[in-house]
């Protein structure tokens, strides 16, 4: 299963690991984990913390058990593959960049992005704005973890 939340990418992978390290090693309920992210990792609020918690699961940096969520001890060196496999839209954005053959702007990537679920198009009158932002965040994450690069004229696969 791929997760949908995509928080704004930080300036460095170290920040991602700092947020992951704020999670407990022993499972705790979602509410407790979100409070930890807010207080220990300076995540803005609990709603954003929920997004981070889900996103960390998609990257295999956190897991959910019967008793709640906890951080994994996995080596973060496989972030690129974990993102492609675990975060909804990352695979599609990477494929768009692979197929382009030239740098694309974030708007051009969004225009080629066909993976917006129909129910989200019907549910949200501003689905284009939401998904345009999501594609921009995915590009930022892919760049941060070395699966894309920002070049003159936009982004290309790395």
């Amino acid at each position: 299963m791929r997760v949908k939340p995509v928080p704004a990418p930080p300036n460095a992978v170290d920040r991602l690991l700092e947020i992951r390290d704020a999670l407990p090693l022993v499972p705790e309920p979602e509410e407790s984990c979100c409070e930890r992210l807010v207080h220990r990792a300076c995540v803005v609020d609990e709603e954003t913390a929920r997004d981070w918690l889900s996103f960390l699961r998609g990257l295999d940096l956190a897991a959910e058990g019967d008793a709640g969520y906890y951080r994994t001890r996995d080596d973060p060196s496989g972030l690129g593959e974990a993102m492609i496999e675990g975060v909804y839209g990352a695979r599609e954005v990477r494929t768009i960049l692979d197929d382009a053959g030239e740098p694309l702007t974030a708007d051009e990537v969004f225009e080629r992005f066909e993976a917006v679920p129909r129910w989200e198009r019907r549910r949200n009158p501003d689905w284009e704005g939401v998904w345009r932002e999501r594609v921009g965040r995915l590009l930022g994450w892919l760049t941060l973890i070395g699966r894309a690069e920002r070049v003159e004229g936009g982004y290309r696969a790395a």
Side-chain angles (χ1 to χ4, degrees), residues 49-101:
R50 273 188 209 78
D51 286 349
W52 271 105
L53 189 57
S54 182
F55 185 72
L56 291 169
R57 280 184 34 241
L59 295 178
D60 294 328
L61 295 175
E64 180 181 14
D66 292 338
Y69 295 88
Y70 57 96
R71 74 176 180 249
T72 62
R73 298 177 196 206
D74 294 338
D75 176 15
S77 64
L79 285 176
E81 193 59 35
M83 178 151 205
I84 298 297
E85 294 302 317
V87 178
Y88 189 83
R91 178 184 313 142
E92 292 79 1
V93 168
R94 177 54 199 250
T95 299
I96 290 166
L97 294 176
D98 284 339
D99 294 346

Side-chain angles (χ1 to χ4, degrees), residues 27-153:
E28 291 186 18
E30 178 180 346
E31 184 178 304
S32 174
C33 289
C34 289
E35 287 175 8
R36 287 174 70 113
L37 293 180
V38 169
H39 297 293
R40 294 183 184 196
C42 299
V43 171
V44 174
D45 56 35
E46 289 195 23
E47 182 178 336
T48 305
R50 273 188 209 78
D51 286 349
W52 271 105
L53 189 57
S54 182
F55 185 72
L56 291 169
R57 280 184 34 241
L59 295 178
D60 294 328
L61 295 175
E64 180 181 14
D66 292 338
Y69 295 88
Y70 57 96
R71 74 176 180 249
T72 62
R73 298 177 196 206
D74 294 338
D75 176 15
S77 64
L79 285 176
E81 193 59 35
M83 178 151 205
I84 298 297
E85 294 302 317
V87 178
Y88 189 83
R91 178 184 313 142
E92 292 79 1
V93 168
R94 177 54 199 250
T95 299
I96 290 166
L97 294 176
D98 284 339
D99 294 346
E102 64 185 16
L104 297 174
T105 66
D107 285 337
E108 290 170 326
V109 173
F110 173 74
E111 293 302 323
R112 297 176 188 200
F113 188 84
E114 298 176 354
V116 179
R118 274 192 206 121
W119 68 271
E120 287 206 31
R121 292 173 191 246
R122 283 187 233 133
R123 175 181 74 121
N124 188 342
D126 185 32
W127 68 267
E128 286 185 355
V130 170
W131 281 85
R132 187 177 302 276
E133 179 181 349
R134 185 181 308 244
V135 166
R137 287 180 174 195
L138 287 166
L139 285 165
W141 277 105
L142 290 169
T143 300
L144 180 68
I145 61 175
R147 298 301 298 257
E149 59 184 344
R150 185 154 178 111
V151 295
E152 186 176 327

